[in-house]
Every structure is written in structure tokens, then in C-alpha cells.
Coordinates of all heavy atoms in Angstrom, one line a residue:
M1 N 4.9 -13.0 3.5 CA 4.2 -12.2 4.5 C 5.0 -11.0 4.9 O 6.2 -11.1 5.0 CB 3.9 -13.0 5.8 CG 3.1 -12.3 6.8 SD 2.8 -13.4 8.3 CE 1.3 -14.1 7.9
S2 N 4.4 -9.8 4.9 CA 5.2 -8.6 5.2 C 5.6 -8.5 6.7 O 5.0 -9.2 7.5 CB 4.3 -7.4 4.9 OG 3.3 -7.2 5.8
R3 N 6.5 -7.7 7.0 CA 7.0 -7.5 8.3 C 5.8 -7.0 9.2 O 5.7 -7.5 10.4 CB 8.1 -6.4 8.3 CG 8.7 -6.1 9.7 CD 9.8 -5.1 9.5 NE 10.3 -4.7 10.8 CZ 10.8 -3.5 11.0 NH1 11.0 -2.7 10.0 NH2 11.2 -3.2 12.2
V4 N 5.0 -6.1 8.7 CA 3.8 -5.7 9.5 C 2.8 -6.8 9.7 O 2.3 -7.0 10.8 CB 3.2 -4.5 8.8 CG1 1.8 -4.1 9.4 CG2 4.1 -3.3 8.9
S5 N 2.6 -7.6 8.7 CA 1.7 -8.8 8.8 C 2.2 -9.7 9.9 O 1.5 -10.2 10.7 CB 1.5 -9.5 7.5 OG 0.9 -8.8 6.6
E6 N 3.5 -10.0 9.8 CA 4.1 -10.9 10.8 C 4.0 -10.3 12.2 O 3.6 -11.1 13.2 CB 5.6 -11.1 10.5 CG 5.8 -12.0 9.3 CD 7.3 -12.1 8.9 OE1 8.1 -11.5 9.5 OE2 7.5 -12.8 7.9
F7 N 4.2 -9.0 12.4 CA 4.0 -8.4 13.7 C 2.6 -8.5 14.2 O 2.3 -8.9 15.3 CB 4.4 -6.9 13.6 CG 4.4 -6.2 14.9 CD1 5.4 -6.2 15.8 CD2 3.2 -5.4 15.2 CE1 5.3 -5.5 17.0 CE2 3.1 -4.7 16.4 CZ 4.2 -4.7 17.3
N8 N 1.6 -8.2 13.3 CA 0.2 -8.2 13.7 C -0.2 -9.6 14.0 O -0.9 -9.9 15.0 CB -0.6 -7.6 12.6 CG -0.5 -6.1 12.5 OD1 0.0 -5.5 13.4 ND2 -1.0 -5.6 11.4
D9 N 0.3 -10.6 13.3 CA 0.0 -12.0 13.5 C 0.6 -12.5 14.9 O -0.1 -13.1 15.7 CB 0.6 -12.9 12.4 CG 0.1 -14.3 12.5 OD1 -1.1 -14.5 12.6 OD2 1.0 -15.2 12.4
E10 N 1.8 -12.1 15.1 CA 2.5 -12.5 16.4 C 1.8 -11.9 17.6 O 1.7 -12.6 18.6 CB 3.9 -12.0 16.3 CG 4.7 -12.3 17.6 CD 6.2 -11.8 17.6 OE1 6.6 -11.3 16.5 OE2 6.8 -11.9 18.6
Y11 N 1.2 -10.7 17.5 CA 0.6 -10.1 18.7 C -0.9 -10.0 18.6 O -1.5 -9.4 19.4 CB 1.2 -8.6 18.8 CG 2.6 -8.7 19.3 CD1 3.7 -8.5 18.4 CD2 3.0 -8.9 20.6 CE1 5.0 -8.6 18.8 CE2 4.3 -9.0 21.1 CZ 5.3 -8.8 20.1 OH 6.6 -8.9 20.5
G12 N -1.5 -10.7 17.6 CA -2.9 -10.8 17.6 C -3.6 -9.5 17.3 O -4.6 -9.1 17.8
L13 N -2.9 -8.6 16.4 CA -3.4 -7.3 16.1 C -4.2 -7.2 14.8 O -4.4 -6.1 14.3 CB -2.3 -6.3 16.1 CG -1.5 -6.2 17.5 CD1 -0.3 -5.3 17.3 CD2 -2.5 -5.6 18.6
E14 N -4.5 -8.3 14.2 CA -5.2 -8.2 12.9 C -6.6 -7.6 13.1 O -7.3 -7.8 14.2 CB -5.5 -9.6 12.4 CG -4.2 -10.4 12.1 CD -3.9 -11.3 13.3 OE1 -4.4 -11.1 14.4 OE2 -3.0 -12.2 13.1
L15 N -7.0 -6.7 12.2 CA -8.3 -6.1 12.2 C -8.9 -6.3 10.8 O -8.2 -6.4 9.8 CB -8.2 -4.6 12.5 CG -7.9 -4.1 13.9 CD1 -7.7 -2.6 13.9 CD2 -9.0 -4.5 14.9
D16 N -10.2 -6.3 10.7 CA -10.8 -6.3 9.4 C -10.5 -4.9 8.8 O -10.2 -3.9 9.4 CB -12.4 -6.5 9.5 CG -13.0 -5.4 10.4 OD1 -13.3 -4.3 9.9 OD2 -13.2 -5.7 11.6
P17 N -10.5 -4.9 7.4 CA -10.1 -3.6 6.7 C -10.9 -2.4 7.1 O -10.3 -1.3 7.2 CB -10.3 -4.0 5.2 CG -10.1 -5.5 5.2 CD -10.7 -6.0 6.5
E18 N -12.2 -2.6 7.4 CA -13.0 -1.4 7.7 C -12.5 -0.8 9.1 O -12.4 0.4 9.2 CB -14.5 -1.8 7.9 CG -15.1 -2.3 6.5 CD -14.8 -3.7 6.2 OE1 -14.1 -4.4 6.9 OE2 -15.2 -4.1 5.1
R19 N -12.3 -1.6 10.1 CA -11.8 -1.1 11.3 C -10.4 -0.6 11.2 O -10.0 0.4 11.9 CB -12.0 -2.1 12.5 CG -13.4 -2.2 12.9 CD -13.5 -3.1 14.2 NE -13.2 -4.4 13.9 CZ -12.9 -5.4 14.8 NH1 -13.0 -5.0 16.1 NH2 -12.6 -6.6 14.5
R20 N -9.6 -1.2 10.4 CA -8.2 -0.7 10.2 C -8.3 0.7 9.5 O -7.5 1.5 9.8 CB -7.4 -1.7 9.3 CG -6.0 -1.3 9.1 CD -5.2 -1.2 10.4 NE -4.9 -2.5 10.9 CZ -4.4 -2.7 12.1 NH1 -4.1 -1.7 12.9 NH2 -4.2 -3.9 12.6
M21 N -9.2 0.9 8.6 CA -9.4 2.2 8.0 C -9.7 3.2 9.0 O -9.2 4.3 9.0 CB -10.4 2.1 6.9 CG -10.6 3.4 6.0 SD -9.1 3.6 5.0 CE -8.9 5.4 5.2
L22 N -10.6 2.9 9.9 CA -11.0 3.8 11.0 C -9.7 4.1 11.9 O -9.5 5.3 12.3 CB -12.1 3.3 11.9 CG -13.5 3.2 11.2 CD1 -14.4 2.5 12.1 CD2 -13.9 4.6 10.9
D23 N -8.9 3.1 12.1 CA -7.7 3.3 12.9 C -6.8 4.3 12.1 O -6.2 5.2 12.7 CB -7.0 2.0 13.1 CG -5.8 2.1 14.0 OD1 -5.8 2.7 15.1 OD2 -4.7 1.6 13.5
L24 N -6.7 4.1 10.8 CA -5.8 4.9 10.0 C -6.3 6.4 10.1 O -5.5 7.3 10.2 CB -5.8 4.4 8.5 CG -5.0 5.3 7.5 CD1 -3.6 5.5 7.9 CD2 -5.1 4.6 6.2
E25 N -7.6 6.6 10.0 CA -8.2 7.9 10.1 C -7.9 8.5 11.4 O -7.5 9.7 11.5 CB -9.7 7.9 9.9 CG -10.2 7.5 8.5 CD -10.0 8.6 7.5 OE1 -10.0 9.8 7.9 OE2 -9.9 8.4 6.3
S26 N -8.0 7.8 12.5 CA -7.7 8.3 13.8 C -6.2 8.7 13.9 O -5.9 9.8 14.4 CB -8.0 7.2 14.8 OG -7.5 7.6 16.1
E27 N -5.4 7.9 13.3 CA -3.9 8.2 13.4 C -3.6 9.4 12.5 O -2.7 10.2 12.9 CB -3.1 7.0 13.0 CG -3.2 5.8 14.0 CD -2.7 6.1 15.4 OE1 -2.0 7.2 15.6 OE2 -2.9 5.3 16.3
T28 N -4.2 9.6 11.4 CA -3.9 10.7 10.6 C -4.4 12.0 11.3 O -3.8 13.0 11.2 CB -4.6 10.7 9.2 OG1 -6.0 10.5 9.3 CG2 -4.0 9.6 8.3
G29 N -5.5 11.9 12.1 CA -5.9 13.0 12.9 C -4.9 13.4 14.0 O -4.6 14.6 14.2
E30 N -4.3 12.4 14.6 CA -3.2 12.6 15.6 C -2.0 13.2 14.9 O -1.4 14.1 15.5 CB -2.9 11.3 16.3 CG -4.0 10.8 17.1 CD -3.7 9.4 17.8 OE1 -2.5 9.0 17.8 OE2 -4.7 8.8 18.2
L31 N -1.7 12.8 13.7 CA -0.6 13.3 13.0 C -0.8 14.8 12.6 O 0.1 15.7 12.8 CB -0.3 12.5 11.7 CG 0.8 13.1 10.8 CD1 2.2 13.1 11.5 CD2 0.9 12.2 9.5
A32 N -2.1 15.1 12.2 CA -2.4 16.5 11.9 C -2.3 17.4 13.1 O -1.7 18.5 13.0 CB -3.9 16.5 11.4
K33 N -2.7 16.9 14.3 CA -2.6 17.7 15.5 C -1.1 18.0 15.8 O -0.7 19.1 16.1 CB -3.2 16.9 16.7 CG -3.0 17.5 18.0 CD -3.6 16.6 19.1 CE -3.3 17.1 20.5 NZ -2.0 16.8 20.9
E34 N -0.2 16.9 15.7 CA 1.2 17.1 16.0 C 1.8 18.1 14.9 O 2.7 18.9 15.3 CB 1.9 15.8 16.0 CG 1.6 15.0 17.2 CD 1.9 15.6 18.5 OE1 2.8 16.5 18.6 OE2 1.2 15.3 19.5
L35 N 1.4 18.0 13.7 CA 1.9 18.9 12.6 C 1.5 20.3 12.9 O 2.4 21.2 12.8 CB 1.4 18.4 11.3 CG 1.9 19.2 10.1 CD1 3.4 19.1 10.0 CD2 1.3 18.7 8.8
L36 N 0.3 20.5 13.4 CA -0.1 21.9 13.7 C 0.7 22.4 14.9 O 1.2 23.6 14.9 CB -1.6 21.9 14.1 CG -2.5 21.7 12.9 CD1 -4.0 21.6 13.3 CD2 -2.4 22.9 11.9
E37 N 0.9 21.6 15.9 CA 1.7 22.0 17.0 C 3.2 22.2 16.6 O 3.9 23.2 17.1 CB 1.6 21.0 18.2 CG 0.2 21.0 18.8 CD 0.1 20.1 20.0 OE1 1.1 19.4 20.4 OE2 -1.0 20.0 20.5
A38 N 3.7 21.4 15.7 CA 5.1 21.5 15.3 C 5.4 22.7 14.4 O 6.5 23.1 14.2 CB 5.5 20.2 14.6
S39 N 4.3 23.3 13.9 CA 4.5 24.5 13.1 C 3.7 25.7 13.7 O 3.6 26.7 13.0 CB 3.9 24.2 11.7 OG 2.5 24.0 11.8
D40 N 3.4 25.6 15.0 CA 2.6 26.6 15.6 C 1.4 27.1 14.7 O 1.3 28.2 14.4 CB 3.5 27.8 16.0 CG 2.9 28.7 17.1 OD1 1.9 28.2 17.8 OD2 3.3 29.8 17.3
Y41 N 0.7 26.1 14.3 CA -0.5 26.3 13.5 C -0.2 27.0 12.2 O -0.9 27.9 11.7 CB -1.7 27.0 14.2 CG -2.4 26.0 15.1 CD1 -1.9 25.5 16.3 CD2 -3.7 25.6 14.7 CE1 -2.6 24.6 17.1 CE2 -4.4 24.7 15.5 CZ -3.8 24.2 16.7 OH -4.5 23.3 17.4
G42 N 1.0 26.5 11.6 CA 1.3 27.0 10.3 C 2.0 28.4 10.3 O 2.2 28.9 9.2
T43 N 2.4 28.9 11.4 CA 2.9 30.2 11.4 C 4.5 30.2 11.4 O 5.1 31.2 11.3 CB 2.5 31.0 12.7 OG1 3.0 30.3 13.9 CG2 1.0 31.2 12.8
R44 N 5.0 29.0 11.4 CA 6.5 28.9 11.3 C 6.8 27.5 10.6 O 5.9 26.7 10.5 CB 7.2 29.0 12.6 CG 6.8 28.0 13.6 CD 7.7 28.1 14.9 NE 7.2 27.4 16.0 CZ 7.2 26.0 16.2 NH1 7.7 25.3 15.2 NH2 6.6 25.5 17.2
E45 N 8.1 27.4 10.2 CA 8.5 26.1 9.6 C 8.3 25.0 10.6 O 8.4 25.1 11.8 CB 10.0 26.2 9.3 CG 10.4 25.3 8.2 CD 11.8 25.7 7.6 OE1 11.9 26.8 7.2 OE2 12.6 24.8 7.7
V46 N 7.9 23.8 10.0 CA 7.7 22.6 10.9 C 9.0 22.2 11.6 O 10.0 22.1 11.0 CB 7.2 21.4 10.0 CG1 7.1 20.2 10.8 CG2 5.8 21.8 9.4
E47 N 8.8 22.0 12.9 CA 9.9 21.4 13.7 C 9.7 19.9 13.7 O 8.6 19.5 14.1 CB 9.9 22.0 15.1 CG 11.0 21.5 16.0 CD 10.9 22.0 17.4 OE1 10.1 23.0 17.6 OE2 11.7 21.5 18.2
T48 N 10.7 19.1 13.4 CA 10.5 17.7 13.4 C 10.7 17.2 14.8 O 11.8 16.7 15.3 CB 11.6 17.0 12.5 OG1 11.5 17.6 11.2 CG2 11.3 15.5 12.3
T49 N 9.6 17.2 15.6 CA 9.6 16.8 17.0 C 9.5 15.3 17.1 O 9.0 14.6 16.2 CB 8.4 17.5 17.7 OG1 7.2 17.0 17.1 CG2 8.5 19.0 17.6
P50 N 9.9 14.8 18.2 CA 9.8 13.3 18.5 C 8.3 12.9 18.4 O 8.0 11.8 17.9 CB 10.3 13.1 19.9 CG 11.3 14.2 20.1 CD 10.7 15.4 19.3
E51 N 7.4 13.8 18.8 CA 6.0 13.5 18.8 C 5.5 13.4 17.3 O 4.7 12.5 17.0 CB 5.2 14.5 19.6 CG 5.4 14.5 21.0 CD 6.7 15.3 21.4 OE1 7.3 16.0 20.6 OE2 7.1 15.3 22.6
L52 N 6.0 14.3 16.5 CA 5.6 14.3 15.1 C 6.1 13.0 14.4 O 5.3 12.3 13.7 CB 6.2 15.5 14.4 CG 5.8 15.6 12.9 CD1 4.3 15.8 12.7 CD2 6.6 16.8 12.3
V53 N 7.3 12.6 14.7 CA 7.9 11.4 14.1 C 7.1 10.2 14.6 O 6.8 9.3 13.8 CB 9.4 11.3 14.5 CG1 9.9 9.9 14.0 CG2 10.2 12.4 13.8
A54 N 6.7 10.2 15.9 CA 6.0 9.0 16.4 C 4.6 8.9 15.7 O 4.2 7.8 15.4 CB 5.8 9.2 17.9
E55 N 3.9 10.0 15.5 CA 2.6 9.9 14.9 C 2.7 9.5 13.4 O 1.9 8.8 12.9 CB 1.9 11.2 15.1 CG 1.4 11.5 16.5 CD 0.6 10.4 17.1 OE1 0.0 9.6 16.4 OE2 0.5 10.4 18.4
F56 N 3.8 10.0 12.8 CA 4.0 9.6 11.4 C 4.2 8.0 11.4 O 3.6 7.3 10.5 CB 5.3 10.2 10.8 CG 5.5 9.8 9.4 CD1 4.9 10.5 8.3 CD2 6.3 8.7 9.0 CE1 5.0 10.2 7.0 CE2 6.4 8.3 7.7 CZ 5.8 9.1 6.7
G57 N 4.9 7.5 12.3 CA 5.1 6.1 12.4 C 3.8 5.3 12.6 O 3.6 4.3 12.0
D58 N 2.9 5.9 13.5 CA 1.6 5.3 13.7 C 0.8 5.2 12.4 O 0.1 4.2 12.1 CB 0.8 6.1 14.8 CG 1.4 5.9 16.2 OD1 2.3 5.1 16.3 OD2 1.0 6.6 17.1
V59 N 0.8 6.3 11.6 CA 0.1 6.4 10.4 C 0.7 5.4 9.4 O -0.1 4.6 8.7 CB 0.1 7.8 9.8 CG1 -0.4 7.8 8.3 CG2 -0.7 8.8 10.6
Y60 N 2.0 5.3 9.3 CA 2.6 4.4 8.4 C 2.3 2.9 8.8 O 2.0 2.1 7.9 CB 4.1 4.6 8.5 CG 5.0 4.1 7.3 CD1 4.5 4.1 6.0 CD2 6.2 3.6 7.6 CE1 5.3 3.6 5.0 CE2 7.0 3.1 6.5 CZ 6.5 3.1 5.3 OH 7.3 2.6 4.3
Y61 N 2.3 2.6 10.1 CA 2.0 1.3 10.5 C 0.5 1.0 10.1 O 0.2 -0.1 9.6 CB 2.2 1.2 12.0 CG 1.4 0.0 12.6 CD1 1.9 -1.3 12.5 CD2 0.2 0.2 13.3 CE1 1.2 -2.4 13.0 CE2 -0.5 -0.8 13.9 CZ 0.0 -2.1 13.7 OH -0.7 -3.2 14.2
A62 N -0.4 1.9 10.4 CA -1.8 1.6 10.1 C -2.0 1.5 8.6 O -2.8 0.6 8.2 CB -2.7 2.8 10.7
L63 N -1.3 2.3 7.8 CA -1.5 2.2 6.3 C -0.9 0.9 5.8 O -1.6 0.2 5.0 CB -0.7 3.4 5.7 CG -0.9 3.5 4.1 CD1 -2.3 3.7 3.7 CD2 0.0 4.6 3.6
L64 N 0.2 0.5 6.3 CA 0.8 -0.8 5.9 C 0.0 -2.0 6.4 O -0.1 -3.0 5.7 CB 2.3 -0.9 6.4 CG 3.2 0.0 5.7 CD1 4.7 -0.2 6.3 CD2 3.3 -0.2 4.2
S65 N -0.6 -1.8 7.5 CA -1.5 -2.9 8.0 C -2.8 -3.0 7.1 O -3.2 -4.1 6.8 CB -2.0 -2.6 9.5 OG -0.9 -2.7 10.4
L66 N -3.3 -1.9 6.7 CA -4.5 -1.9 5.8 C -4.1 -2.5 4.5 O -4.9 -3.4 4.0 CB -4.9 -0.4 5.6 CG -6.1 -0.3 4.7 CD1 -7.4 -1.0 5.2 CD2 -6.4 1.2 4.4
A67 N -2.9 -2.2 4.0 CA -2.5 -2.8 2.7 C -2.4 -4.4 2.9 O -2.9 -5.1 2.1 CB -1.1 -2.3 2.3
A68 N -1.8 -4.8 4.0 CA -1.7 -6.2 4.2 C -3.1 -6.9 4.3 O -3.3 -8.0 3.8 CB -0.9 -6.5 5.5
E69 N -4.0 -6.3 5.1 CA -5.3 -6.9 5.3 C -6.2 -6.9 4.0 O -7.1 -7.6 3.9 CB -6.0 -6.2 6.5 CG -5.3 -6.6 7.8 CD -5.3 -5.6 8.9 OE1 -5.9 -4.5 8.7 OE2 -4.6 -5.8 9.9
C70 N -5.8 -6.0 3.1 CA -6.5 -5.9 1.8 C -5.8 -6.7 0.7 O -6.2 -6.7 -0.5 CB -6.7 -4.5 1.4 SG -7.9 -3.6 2.4
G71 N -4.6 -7.3 1.0 CA -3.8 -8.0 0.0 C -3.2 -7.1 -1.0 O -3.0 -7.5 -2.2
I72 N -2.9 -5.8 -0.6 CA -2.3 -4.9 -1.5 C -0.8 -4.9 -1.3 O -0.3 -4.8 -0.2 CB -2.8 -3.4 -1.3 CG1 -4.3 -3.4 -1.6 CG2 -2.0 -2.4 -2.0 CD1 -5.0 -2.1 -1.1
D73 N 0.0 -4.9 -2.4 CA 1.4 -4.7 -2.3 C 1.7 -3.2 -2.3 O 1.5 -2.5 -3.3 CB 2.1 -5.4 -3.6 CG 3.5 -5.0 -3.7 OD1 4.2 -4.5 -2.8 OD2 4.0 -5.1 -4.9
P74 N 2.1 -2.7 -1.1 CA 2.3 -1.3 -1.0 C 3.4 -0.7 -2.0 O 3.2 0.4 -2.5 CB 2.7 -1.0 0.5 CG 3.1 -2.3 1.0 CD 2.5 -3.4 0.1
E75 N 4.4 -1.4 -2.2 CA 5.5 -0.9 -3.1 C 4.9 -0.9 -4.5 O 5.2 0.1 -5.3 CB 6.7 -1.8 -3.0 CG 7.6 -1.5 -1.8 CD 8.1 -0.1 -1.7 OE1 8.6 0.4 -2.8 OE2 8.1 0.5 -0.7
G76 N 4.2 -1.9 -5.0 CA 3.6 -1.9 -6.3 C 2.6 -0.8 -6.5 O 2.5 -0.2 -7.5
S77 N 1.8 -0.6 -5.4 CA 0.8 0.4 -5.5 C 1.5 1.8 -5.6 O 1.0 2.7 -6.4 CB 0.0 0.4 -4.2 OG -1.0 1.4 -4.1
L78 N 2.6 2.0 -4.8 CA 3.3 3.3 -4.9 C 3.9 3.5 -6.3 O 3.8 4.6 -6.9 CB 4.4 3.3 -3.9 CG 5.3 4.5 -3.9 CD1 4.5 5.8 -3.6 CD2 6.5 4.4 -2.9
E79 N 4.5 2.5 -6.9 CA 5.0 2.6 -8.2 C 4.0 2.9 -9.2 O 4.2 3.8 -10.1 CB 5.8 1.3 -8.6 CG 7.0 1.0 -7.9 CD 8.1 2.2 -8.0 OE1 8.2 2.7 -9.1 OE2 8.7 2.5 -7.0
A80 N 2.8 2.3 -9.1 CA 1.7 2.6 -10.0 C 1.3 4.1 -9.9 O 1.0 4.8 -10.9 CB 0.5 1.7 -9.8
S81 N 1.2 4.6 -8.7 CA 0.8 6.0 -8.4 C 1.8 6.9 -9.0 O 1.5 7.9 -9.6 CB 0.6 6.3 -6.9 OG -0.6 5.6 -6.5
L82 N 3.1 6.7 -8.8 CA 4.2 7.5 -9.3 C 4.1 7.6 -10.8 O 4.3 8.6 -11.4 CB 5.5 7.1 -8.8 CG 5.8 7.2 -7.3 CD1 7.2 6.6 -6.9 CD2 5.7 8.7 -6.8
A83 N 3.9 6.4 -11.4 CA 3.8 6.4 -12.9 C 2.6 7.2 -13.4 O 2.7 7.9 -14.4 CB 3.7 4.9 -13.3
K84 N 1.5 7.1 -12.6 CA 0.3 7.9 -13.0 C 0.5 9.4 -12.9 O 0.2 10.1 -13.8 CB -0.9 7.4 -12.1 CG -2.2 8.2 -12.2 CD -3.2 7.8 -11.3 CE -2.9 8.0 -9.8 NZ -3.8 7.5 -8.9
Y85 N 1.1 9.8 -11.8 CA 1.4 11.2 -11.6 C 2.4 11.7 -12.6 O 2.3 12.8 -13.2 CB 1.9 11.5 -10.2 CG 0.9 11.2 -9.1 CD1 1.2 10.6 -7.9 CD2 -0.5 11.5 -9.3 CE1 0.3 10.3 -7.0 CE2 -1.4 11.2 -8.4 CZ -1.1 10.6 -7.2 OH -2.0 10.3 -6.2
R86 N 3.4 10.9 -12.9 CA 4.4 11.3 -13.9 C 3.8 11.5 -15.3 O 4.1 12.5 -16.0 CB 5.5 10.2 -14.0 CG 6.6 10.5 -15.0 CD 7.8 9.5 -15.1 NE 8.5 9.5 -13.8 CZ 8.5 8.5 -12.9 NH1 7.8 7.4 -13.1 NH2 9.2 8.6 -11.8
E87 N 2.9 10.6 -15.6 CA 2.2 10.7 -16.9 C 1.4 12.0 -17.0 O 1.4 12.7 -18.0 CB 1.3 9.5 -17.1 CG 0.7 9.4 -18.5 CD -0.1 8.0 -18.6 OE1 0.5 7.0 -18.4 OE2 -1.3 8.1 -19.0
R88 N 0.6 12.3 -15.9 CA -0.2 13.5 -15.8 C 0.7 14.8 -15.9 O 0.4 15.7 -16.6 CB -1.0 13.5 -14.5 CG -2.2 12.6 -14.5 CD -2.9 12.7 -13.2 NE -3.9 11.6 -13.1 CZ -4.5 11.4 -12.0 NH1 -4.2 12.0 -10.9 NH2 -5.5 10.4 -12.0
L89 N 1.8 14.7 -15.1 CA 2.6 15.9 -15.1 C 3.3 16.2 -16.5 O 3.4 17.3 -16.9 CB 3.7 15.7 -14.0 CG 3.2 16.0 -12.6 CD1 4.2 15.3 -11.6 CD2 3.0 17.4 -12.3
D90 N 3.7 15.1 -17.1 CA 4.3 15.2 -18.4 C 3.3 15.7 -19.5 O 3.7 16.4 -20.4 CB 4.9 13.9 -18.9 CG 6.2 13.5 -18.1 OD1 6.7 14.4 -17.4 OD2 6.6 12.3 -18.1
A91 N 2.0 15.3 -19.3 CA 1.0 15.7 -20.3 C 0.5 17.0 -20.0 O 0.2 17.8 -21.0 CB -0.1 14.6 -20.3
S92 N 0.2 17.4 -18.8 CA -0.5 18.7 -18.5 C 0.2 19.6 -17.5 O -0.3 20.7 -17.3 CB -1.9 18.3 -18.0 OG -1.8 17.8 -16.6
G93 N 1.3 19.1 -16.9 CA 1.9 20.0 -15.9 C 1.3 19.9 -14.5 O 1.7 20.6 -13.6
S94 N 0.2 19.1 -14.4 CA -0.5 19.0 -13.1 C -0.6 17.6 -12.7 O -0.9 16.7 -13.6 CB -1.8 19.7 -13.2 OG -2.6 19.4 -12.0
A95 N -0.4 17.3 -11.4 CA -0.5 15.9 -11.0 C -2.0 15.5 -10.6 O -2.3 14.3 -10.5 CB 0.3 15.6 -9.7
G96 N -2.8 16.5 -10.5 CA -4.2 16.3 -10.1 C -5.0 15.7 -11.3 O -4.7 15.9 -12.5
S97 N -6.1 14.9 -11.0 CA -7.0 14.5 -12.0 C -7.9 15.6 -12.4 O -8.2 16.4 -11.6 CB -7.7 13.2 -11.6 OG -8.5 13.5 -10.5
S98 N -8.3 15.6 -13.6 CA -9.2 16.7 -14.1 C -10.7 16.2 -14.2 O -11.0 15.2 -14.0 CB -8.8 17.2 -15.4 OG -8.6 16.2 -16.4
Ligands
MG101 MG1 -0.9 7.8 17.3

């Protein structure tokens, strides 16, 4: 059981994956708002404010919770994505799918 799963289990914070996804969307919106404020709407370099770091943590928690609730190994998933992007970059110079 992951650290996040244990935390959610201890505090009764389990959600079904669909509602966890909505929570993740909400938190990414909050992160976007802080990023805009931390860069004065993109007019200057991002300042790593405590609020920005806190919202990043909320997104990370929600993402790891979603992984746990879907039975996804986040590290394995990341490794597979990196391998996929590496293969695309080596083949075409672009990480995007065509
Ligand atoms: Mg938040």
C-alpha cells in the first residue's frame, strides 16, 4: 500500500476514481491560478511562492490518490511514459504523438 493510500485509509479520504479525477481537475485549476499570479500572468519569470508550492502539492496528492484508487503504479507509469517519449524523440525529434 502506498503512503498516500495509507494516509487516505487512515483519515477516511478514499474517493471513487471519478470524483478523485474531479478533485484533480479542481486542484490543477488552483495550481494554474497560482502560476499565473507567480508570473504576473506570464509577464515575468515564475516566482516559487509558498502558495505555488502548496498547490503543486495538492495536485501531486490528488494525482497519486487517483493512481492508488485505479491500481496504477505511478513510478511504473512514469517510466513507461519516459520510454515512450524517448523513443519518439529519438525517431522524429518530437515528443508529441502524430
Ligand atoms: Mg488546492
Side-chain angles (χ1 to χ4, degrees):
M1 184 180 268
S2 73
R3 182 175 171 208
V4 169
S5 291
E6 289 174 358
F7 180 86
N8 288 344
D9 187 51
E10 180 179 352
Y11 290 98
L13 297 174
E14 301 93 346
L15 286 177
D16 56 84
E18 293 82 2
R19 285 190 291 167
R20 182 62 72 189
M21 186 67 222
L22 289 174
D23 182 54
L24 176 59
E25 291 285 336
S26 172
E27 293 298 348
T28 57
E30 292 176 19
L31 178 60
K33 174 181 173 284
E34 290 302 331
L35 184 60
L36 288 172
E37 290 183 4
S39 66
D40 199 17
Y41 279 73
T43 61
R44 61 174 163 74
E45 203 166 304
V46 173
E47 179 184 351
T48 309
T49 63
E51 294 82 7
L52 182 63
V53 173
E55 291 305 338
F56 183 88
D58 289 352
V59 168
Y60 198 37
Y61 162 75
L63 183 62
L64 291 178
S65 292
L66 179 62
E69 287 148 7
C70 291
I72 294 169
D73 167 20
E75 284 296 321
S77 177
L78 175 62
E79 288 304 320
S81 287
L82 292 175
K84 175 180 65 182
Y85 296 139
R86 181 176 294 111
E87 188 174 307
R88 287 180 186 166
L89 285 162
D90 290 346
S92 69
S94 171
S97 60
S98 51

